[in-house]
Amino acid sequence: QVQLVESGGGLVQPGGSLTLSCADRGFTSDYYPIGWFRQAPGKEREGVSCINHNDGTTYYADAVKGRFTISRDIGKNTVFLQMNDLKPDDSGVYYCAKDICGRRTGWRRADFGSWGQGTQVTVSS
């Protein structure tokens, strides 16, 4: 059973940083890549980043390359999204979910239809 719980969102000024956490209570990341997605009001959900710990690959949307870093702490069974130099366009609800990414598949930004509560990120002065 997929049990991914997001946390770490908040209000931050432009140029600031936040680290989001995705607690993997169902050990999903042992078997599947994990992606971070976000959805702003009035917009479709979009893929932000994905990590496949089995083949060591990571992927980023063009809009966040060089500013965001995805990582996984095996001991804590948690996937992190370090977000630096945040911009107002980064605002939205951020979700972590099972995804498809890797050397064989590239990044699919998959939707398996299972989404948690998400964590709100607001970038504003």
Side-chain angles (χ1 to χ4, degrees):
Q1 183 178 1
V2 176
Q3 298 182 41
L4 300 169
V5 181
E6 307 91 345
S7 63
L11 173 63
V12 63
Q13 292 187 344
S17 297
L18 281 175
T19 300
L20 305 184
S21 298
C22 174
D24 181 8
R25 298 174 180 174
F27 298 93
T28 301
S29 59
D30 285 357
Y31 305 101
Y32 300 100
I34 298 295
W36 280 98
F37 299 78
R38 67 186 181 190
Q39 187 167 23
K43 294 186 177 181
E44 292 188 354
R45 186 180 287 127
E46 62 176 352
V48 176
S49 184
C50 185
I51 185 167
N52 182 329
H53 80 279
N54 288 309
D55 67 11
T57 54
T58 57
Y59 298 83
Y60 298 92
D62 288 344
V64 306
K65 279 180 183 176
R67 300 188 296 121
F68 290 13
T69 302
I70 191 170
S71 62
R72 179 175 179 255
D73 185 320
I74 297 175
K76 295 182 179 179
N77 220 33
T78 300
V79 176
F80 299 98
L81 185 68
Q82 173 68 43
M83 307 186 296
N84 298 325
D85 189 22
L86 283 161
K87 307 177 187 301
D89 283 349
D90 294 320
S91 297
V93 179
Y94 281 68
Y95 305 88
C96 61
K98 188 171 71 171
D99 200 349
I100 297 175
C101 66
R103 296 186 196 283
R104 293 183 180 179
T105 61
W107 182 18
R108 300 282 181 87
R109 298 164 173 84
D111 182 352
F112 287 89
S114 178
W115 302 96
Q117 295 294 317
T119 186
Q120 176 71 47
V121 172
T122 303
V123 184
S124 175
S125 55

